[in-house]
Amino acid sequence: MGEIHAGHPHRELVLKSYKKHYTCDGCKEPGIGSRHRCEDCNYDLHKDCMFYKSTTRHDFFPNSVFKFLLQPPGHSERCCDGCGKPVRGFVYHCEEKGWDLHPCCRNLPNKLKVDDIKFKLRDKVLKKCFWCNRRRLEGSVSGIRGWSYVSKCEKYHFHVYCASEMMLEGWKNESYSNNNDNDQTAPDSLALALENLELPIQRRSRGSGGDKFIRIVKKFFKVFVSILLGDPTITLTCLVAELMR
């Protein structure tokens, strides 16, 4: 049995899982693995887009109320105040302040733990991101700093925007493309792509003996991707792969 969604009221959406990645028909952002789907209409939604709240709040905007909208308001381009990427579909919007959040960004956890490293989501950072090597988002809209995950030890910094870009680059990775037609599940294929993805920090740190450092960085990205896509099986697959190394 499926469920009806306001953005697709004429047919039920059923939880499915497929190998190939997809574009969510709600927020228009990428997804992989689990999705809520209407086969007849070829319509897919992220978990966070499927199960939305009519109104919500966020700790980074303590005096603001966000309303769930099926389309961004107005006619000019709007960008998510979490990741800095354009808003093209479902959005949590604060009418009073003009803030916008993708549903998946709205639901990012405030804290993460990778091995023994604790990360906290922050709206302000003082050091450079390990993906883009910048403090400020490259190509971001004026006034949008974007959120970052920062480790408690202050050694690891990642823009939410850059982590999502890493995911897209992972999908373009040749090893992932070559496995689309075999028996691997979507999480298996994405985990392999992320494992083989060369991070910019690796290009800058060859020969520095930072194997553990790089391993933590890659594991963080894997955990982040599973949360962003709403598919915990990606995290499980990645953890199993780490245990078998």
Side-chain angles (χ1 to χ4, degrees):
M1 292 293 292
E3 297 188 49
I4 294 293
H5 190 282
H8 191 265
H10 52 289
R11 292 183 186 273
E12 292 184 341
L13 301 178
V14 180
L15 180 62
K16 299 282 187 177
S17 183
Y18 297 102
K19 294 181 182 180
K20 293 184 178 180
H21 61 275
Y22 65 97
T23 298
C24 175
D25 289 293
C27 66
K28 315 302 182 186
E29 292 298 307
I32 192 172
S34 299
R35 80 283 309 263
H36 294 266
R37 177 172 174 79
C38 173
E39 294 284 1
D40 292 338
C41 302
N42 191 28
Y43 186 92
D44 300 292
L45 290 181
H46 290 131
K47 175 184 175 182
D48 290 328
C49 290
M50 179 69 188
F51 301 108
Y52 63 90
K53 297 180 180 179
S54 297
T55 60
T56 189
R57 295 178 180 271
H58 195 280
D59 290 344
F60 290 159
F61 311 95
N63 298 317
S64 299
V65 176
F66 291 80
K67 183 179 180 180
F68 181 82
L69 302 177
L70 297 177
Q71 294 290 338
H75 301 287
S76 59
E77 182 180 69
R78 309 189 67 87
C79 290
C80 175
D81 287 281
C83 68
K85 297 176 71 175
V87 171
R88 296 185 290 265
F90 292 0
V91 62
Y92 284 107
H93 174 71
C94 174
E95 184 175 0
E96 181 181 358
K97 301 291 186 179
W99 307 120
D100 296 289
L101 294 175
H102 290 127
C104 291
C105 292
R106 159 62 186 85
N107 292 323
L108 287 174
N110 288 331
K111 296 180 180 180
L112 288 177
K113 187 175 182 180
V114 179
D115 285 354
D116 58 343
I117 307 296
K118 295 180 179 179
F119 290 86
K120 187 173 183 179
L121 186 64
R122 294 185 183 177
D123 59 346
K124 298 177 182 178
V125 292
L126 301 177
K127 295 184 179 180
K128 295 178 180 179
C129 167
F130 284 128
W131 177 262
C132 67
N133 200 32
R134 297 169 181 263
R135 284 178 53 191
R136 187 177 181 84
L137 291 179
E138 185 175 3
S140 65
V141 175
S142 177
I144 295 183
R145 293 189 299 267
W147 299 344
S148 296
Y149 276 104
V150 181
S151 64
K152 186 176 181 180
C153 63
E154 299 287 339
K155 289 176 61 178
Y156 305 90
H157 297 71
F158 310 100
H159 289 134
V160 169
Y161 173 91
C162 292
S164 63
E165 288 298 296
M166 175 280 310
M167 173 181 67
L168 295 177
E169 186 165 329
W171 278 334
K172 297 175 184 177
N173 187 291
E174 183 178 359
S175 64
Y176 174 72
S177 299
N178 290 339
N179 280 294
N180 266 342
D181 296 326
N182 66 14
D183 293 332
Q184 285 185 309
T185 64
D188 290 333
S189 296
L190 182 56
L192 178 60
L194 296 179
E195 183 62 33
N196 292 333
L197 179 64
E198 185 181 45
L199 302 172
I201 188 69
Q202 287 176 274
R203 300 164 198 156
R204 300 192 296 268
S205 305
R206 283 196 175 100
S208 63
D211 290 345
K212 180 180 179 181
F213 184 86
I214 298 301
R215 180 172 59 84
I216 292 294
V217 172
K218 284 196 172 187
K219 287 186 70 174
F220 167 83
F221 278 132
K222 292 172 184 177
V223 172
F224 172 84
V225 167
S226 72
I227 294 170
L228 188 67
L229 299 183
D231 192 342
T233 57
I234 296 174
T235 301
L236 179 60
T237 298
C238 293
L239 291 177
V240 170
E242 290 292 335
L243 291 173
M244 295 177 64
R245 289 173 63 85

